[in-house]
Amino acid sequence: MPAGATPPASPRIKPPKSNRRLRLGERTAPYLLILPALVAILVLLGWPTMQLIGISLRKLDLRELVSGEMVWVGFENFSEILNDSEFWEITVRTLVFTASVVIITLLLALFMALLMRHLNPVVRVILQVALILAWATPVVATTTVFQWIFDQQYGILNKTLAKLGFESFIGHSWFSTGASTLTVIGLLVVWQAVPFVAFTLYAGLLGVPKEQYEAAGIDGANGWQAFWAVSWPAIRPILTMVTFLSVLWDFKLFAQVWAIRQGGPDGASTTLPVYMYLKGLAGNHFGLAATAALLMMLVLILLTARYVQLLVRTKEADLS
């Protein structure tokens, strides 16, 4: 080749077809693996959701249900629900009830988890068995026991308070007002919810090495400081998860509220799931009930989106 001449470009070697197919397979493999789950989600959740949306846009009372007549009313059901003052009153009551129950559950569960970590093995096993029994008891059985405890005439609570000198509680009715009824229901829900949350947080605490607590003690940290420096970073993601699950469970609570007083007295303890039941199955207004259910679902979607946002932020903070 003469001096100063540009050497010819080497011919471009094309990758073999087998490598291309391998790369294509690597790209599509994850999607193929999650395809069955996506199909199951679409069938089990997507189709009922579409049916719910369709019913919310129809007038579906008992006459239409029996005759099979399709009466489309558009957004009239939404207008009727959103302009109903009772709906907003029940919504606020449900949100306040849910927030109160979740906060009390988390505080008691955190206390139980920390207690289990510091108790001696024998006492810890006794406490864990008691928590498991409270958690494993069926809802209807626990509700019946709580009704006996708070019974106006034969309840053990009134008799115990009377023997302690509080004679004003003789014949006291714990279900005379909506606030007291929801208080009893809240205690019932907390009783059954604390064990799961406590065991979940306790599992997170067990993952913290003892050396970190020893190092905190050497640095002069007291118990409270050691909790915030060592325990809290370990259980914070778990606490976020159980908070989200507790909100979902308590927001759509139905069995305990209905079994205690069917939303009484005079609807003062009615929550959104009970309101939806009364509108739908009891009142035969299935279009309105579907609308209320759809609005509840939108609230839960917003809560889920907020949880995912917090989860992503936590992962980004861990990676940074």
Side-chain angles (χ1 to χ4, degrees):
M1 181 181 298
T6 303
S10 59
R12 189 173 182 179
I13 302 176
K14 297 182 178 180
K17 293 183 178 180
S18 59
N19 291 341
R20 293 180 181 177
R21 292 176 181 175
L22 182 61
R23 292 177 181 176
L24 182 62
E26 292 177 350
R27 293 176 180 176
T28 58
Y31 299 99
L32 293 176
L33 291 174
I34 65 174
L35 183 60
L38 291 177
V39 172
I41 290 174
L42 290 176
V43 172
L44 297 177
L45 298 179
W47 176 248
T49 302
M50 295 301 296
Q51 290 286 96
L52 184 66
I53 295 174
I55 295 175
S56 67
L57 300 176
R58 295 163 51 189
K59 179 184 179 183
L60 187 59
D61 295 341
L62 186 60
R63 185 176 66 86
E64 288 79 13
L65 184 65
V66 173
S67 64
E69 183 181 1
M70 303 283 288
V71 181
W72 297 96
V73 295
F75 292 99
E76 288 185 9
N77 290 330
F78 288 90
S79 177
E80 182 174 348
I81 288 289
L82 294 177
N83 290 324
D84 185 5
S85 60
E86 182 185 11
F87 170 78
W88 290 109
E89 180 183 352
I90 293 174
T91 300
V92 173
R93 181 188 302 144
T94 305
L95 293 175
V96 173
F97 173 77
T98 302
S100 303
V101 170
V102 170
I103 291 173
I104 296 174
T105 299
L106 294 177
L107 291 177
L108 289 177
L110 183 58
F111 172 76
M112 289 291 181
L114 294 173
L115 190 63
M116 285 190 287
R117 197 183 187 284
H118 293 89
L119 289 175
N120 65 73
V122 176
V123 180
R124 180 167 59 242
V125 169
I126 295 175
L127 177 60
Q128 290 174 346
V129 170
L131 290 174
I132 291 175
L133 290 177
W135 186 30
T137 306
V139 174
V140 176
T142 307
T143 305
T144 303
V145 171
F146 266 71
Q147 286 179 312
W148 289 344
I149 292 174
F150 291 92
D151 186 76
Q152 182 176 359
Q153 298 297 331
Y154 307 104
I156 190 174
L157 180 60
N158 285 348
K159 292 183 177 180
T160 303
L161 292 174
K163 288 184 177 181
L164 292 176
F166 301 97
E167 297 182 357
S168 60
F169 284 96
I170 298 177
H172 176 73
S173 176
W174 295 92
F175 305 105
S176 59
T177 64
S180 59
T181 303
L182 286 176
T183 300
V184 175
I185 297 172
L187 292 175
L188 169 61
V189 175
V190 169
W191 172 269
Q192 292 190 302
V194 163
F196 171 79
V197 181
F199 277 113
T200 305
L201 295 176
Y202 177 64
L205 290 174
L206 290 179
V208 182
K210 294 183 179 179
E211 290 78 9
Q212 295 186 13
Y213 291 102
E214 295 175 356
I218 293 174
D219 292 338
N222 55 31
W224 186 253
Q225 292 171 338
F227 169 77
W228 284 110
V230 180
S231 301
W232 179 251
I235 65 173
R236 185 176 59 183
I238 302 175
L239 189 64
T240 303
M241 180 194 68
V242 295
T243 301
F244 169 72
L245 293 176
S246 299
V247 169
L248 291 184
W249 292 335
D250 297 339
F251 184 76
K252 58 186 182 63
L253 194 71
F254 174 80
Q256 292 89 330
V257 180
W258 183 258
I260 290 290
R261 280 298 181 272
Q262 295 82 42
D266 297 328
S269 65
T270 301
T271 56
L272 279 177
V274 176
Y275 174 81
M276 182 179 62
Y277 172 81
L278 293 174
K279 283 289 185 182
L281 296 180
N284 296 322
H285 300 297
F286 302 101
L288 293 175
T291 304
L294 191 61
L295 293 174
M296 281 186 59
M297 188 177 68
L298 291 177
V299 173
L300 295 178
I301 289 174
L302 293 176
L303 293 174
T304 305
R306 179 57 180 169
Y307 169 71
V308 173
Q309 184 182 12
L310 292 175
L311 188 64
V312 171
R313 288 181 180 177
T314 302
K315 292 296 183 182
E316 291 178 351
D318 294 338
L319 294 175
S320 61

